[in-house]
Amino acid sequence: MRPARLSVVTATTVAVAALATVTGCTAKSDSTAGDGAVQVIAKDDACEVSKTEFPSGHVELAVENKGSKVTEVYLLFPDDRIVTERENIGPGTKAKITAEVKAGSYEIACKPGMKGKGIRQKVTVTGGTAAKRSPEMDAAVAAYRTYVQEQADETLPKVKVFTDAVRAGNIEAAKKAYAPSRIGWERTEPVAESFGDIDPKVDTRADGLEAGQKWTGWHRLEKELWQDKKLGADAKTLADELDKDLLDWQKRVGRAEITPTSMANGAKELLDEVASGKVTGEEERYSHTDLVDFKANVEGAEKSFELLKPVAQKNEPALVTELDKQFAALNTLLDKYRDGADSYEFTSYEKVTKAQRKELSDGVNALAEPLSKLAAAVVK
């Protein structure tokens, strides 16, 4: 879960020039695109895009953050569903994002400070040429689609154990059921986030709320259980809403846009989730169950990698070797913090020292760097 999300905006038909005037998002000439990538220059007050029209297929966004704040860059459908994204792009740094994109209308959004709606540029993807896929790519997508549906299906009964305990006012039972209820969501979070509207309802922290947004979901109940040490008058309503919103997620997972590149980029996004929320202890700030989420994020990333490995092995065998090495190292490091016979019983994160958190962070970074290259390797 990110600190704050892009809000759904009302669709309006405006010229690109008018949009640039309103939002501060400007289009530069195509001559800056160099090797064919769409150049995106992210600033604190602008999002400069080298092309507002480009052909369908595999598209590369070459992002450079020239602002003073950490930023995120999104490629969005008109209804705010996410095609692809990259988080935590620091000032003065660059990132490349490879995505499979069909013909249609989209927006590129830069999000300085990783807050608010983002500074947006309308773009058009032309032509009806589909990106080329090998049988191995199609097999990976089919298998991953099955995986994310299974995770959603398996999550609902675990959530019901949690919400039933909340409705019964049984605080200890609810605490015990809380972390297990989140595992399937955390494994497949990029797919859930791609819908745009479900994640803010179920997985937003207090500091991630947009203006006027009601705080609902797991973390609202987490605060009541661990910090307030009592369930509020609206706890039953919150439990009912969580059940309803996750049922919506389960029903919609089968319609998610899934491509080989979205799988690879999603794996990197899961590592970004670990770096921005789990390693810092911000995600589960009341329950301190961060390592459960951490493990689930890593598992989800590794699942995408394993399914894409036959393709990546043909194109970039050295990258596959490095990813195998770094996934094994990070899993070994996480195993040091297991606390009990259950595979998802981990040490409370408040007991993890500053030095140990640094070690975990280094392990995440060592994996994240080669993982950021997986999408490009898949379509090479």
Side-chain angles (χ1 to χ4, degrees):
M1 187 228 62
R2 300 181 190 82
R5 291 297 189 283
L6 290 167
S7 300
V8 176
V9 294
T10 303
T12 58
T13 304
V14 294
V16 170
L19 180 76
T21 300
V22 173
T23 65
C25 197
T26 60
K28 299 169 69 178
S29 70
D30 289 1
S31 62
T32 62
D35 61 359
V38 179
Q39 307 290 329
V40 181
I41 305 299
K43 300 179 180 179
D44 293 343
D45 57 357
C47 186
E48 299 175 354
V49 179
S50 65
K51 301 180 181 183
T52 58
E53 187 173 300
F54 42 87
S56 59
H58 291 126
V59 174
E60 182 180 274
L61 302 182
V63 181
E64 182 175 3
N65 184 1
K66 292 187 176 181
S68 64
K69 304 174 182 177
V70 176
T71 195
E72 299 174 344
V73 172
Y74 294 76
L75 179 62
L76 300 166
F77 290 102
D79 60 1
D80 265 21
R81 286 178 298 124
I82 299 169
V83 179
T84 191
E85 64 178 300
R86 182 59 52 84
E87 302 177 26
N88 298 312
I89 306 171
T93 64
K94 299 179 180 181
K96 288 187 177 181
I97 315 168
T98 302
E100 181 178 318
V101 188
K102 299 177 182 178
S105 298
Y106 299 87
E107 288 184 333
I108 291 175
C110 303
K111 193 177 178 186
M114 302 199 296
K115 293 182 179 180
K117 297 178 180 180
I119 304 167
R120 301 186 176 204
Q121 172 67 65
K122 287 186 181 295
V123 295
T124 300
V125 179
T126 61
T129 303
K132 293 181 180 179
R133 286 194 198 171
S134 66
E136 292 90 347
M137 287 184 180
D138 286 336
V141 169
Y144 188 68
R145 190 175 292 281
T146 298
Y147 172 73
V148 295
Q149 186 66 64
E150 288 173 347
Q151 294 305 306
D153 293 345
E154 292 170 7
T155 293
L156 291 191
K158 293 178 181 178
V159 169
K160 191 173 185 302
V161 173
F162 171 63
T163 54
D164 279 350
V166 169
R167 282 185 284 264
N170 190 332
I171 290 178
E172 290 308 311
K175 284 183 175 181
K176 184 177 180 180
Y178 172 77
S181 76
R182 291 175 49 75
I183 292 170
W185 174 273
E186 291 290 338
R187 285 173 176 161
T188 60
E189 196 164 1
V191 175
E193 289 176 344
S194 72
F195 299 122
D197 59 335
I198 298 177
D199 180 81
K201 296 177 184 177
V202 305
D203 200 29
T204 297
R205 302 192 304 260
D207 55 347
L209 296 172
E210 299 287 355
Q213 180 185 347
K214 178 185 175 184
W215 190 18
T216 58
W218 271 302
H219 295 301
R220 168 70 186 276
L221 288 166
E222 178 203 6
K223 178 181 181 294
E224 293 190 5
L225 290 166
W226 273 274
Q227 179 168 291
D228 301 345
K229 302 186 188 312
K230 62 180 181 180
L231 291 167
D234 61 347
K236 292 181 180 180
T237 299
L238 290 168
D240 291 344
E241 289 176 341
L242 184 59
D243 285 337
K244 181 188 70 174
D245 292 333
L246 290 173
L247 178 61
D248 184 24
W249 163 57
Q250 181 213 26
K251 290 179 177 178
R252 289 163 66 178
V253 159
R255 304 194 300 273
E257 293 278 344
I258 297 175
T259 66
T261 54
S262 74
M263 290 169 59
N265 289 326
K268 175 61 168 61
E269 289 165 31
L270 285 169
L271 265 290
D272 288 342
E273 291 279 347
V274 175
S276 64
K278 282 68 174 184
V279 168
T280 62
E282 294 177 68
E283 180 81 358
E284 306 291 356
R285 62 189 63 177
Y286 311 113
S287 64
H288 305 297
T289 56
D290 303 87
L291 288 174
V292 178
D293 290 0
F294 191 138
K295 178 64 175 177
N297 284 159
V298 173
E299 285 181 337
E302 191 166 15
K303 180 67 175 181
S304 291
F305 166 58
E306 290 295 335
L307 292 174
L308 293 169
K309 187 184 288 189
V311 181
Q313 182 68 47
K314 290 181 179 180
N315 299 335
E316 293 282 357
L319 178 64
V320 169
T321 298
E322 180 65 14
L323 285 169
D324 279 333
K325 172 186 172 183
Q326 296 302 337
F327 268 115
L330 187 55
N331 281 317
T332 298
L333 184 57
L334 276 169
D335 284 343
K336 292 168 53 176
Y337 299 95
R338 292 196 181 277
D339 186 22
D342 188 277
S343 60
Y344 275 91
E345 290 182 12
F346 283 91
T347 301
S348 175
Y349 205 60
E350 62 185 339
K351 297 179 181 179
V352 179
T353 67
K354 184 176 180 180
Q356 289 172 326
R357 294 186 186 200
K358 174 64 164 56
E359 184 182 31
L360 287 166
S361 179
D362 289 345
V364 171
N365 291 335
L367 173 57
E369 193 280 328
L371 196 57
S372 69
K373 302 174 183 179
L374 181 58
V378 166
V379 302
K380 189 174 181 180

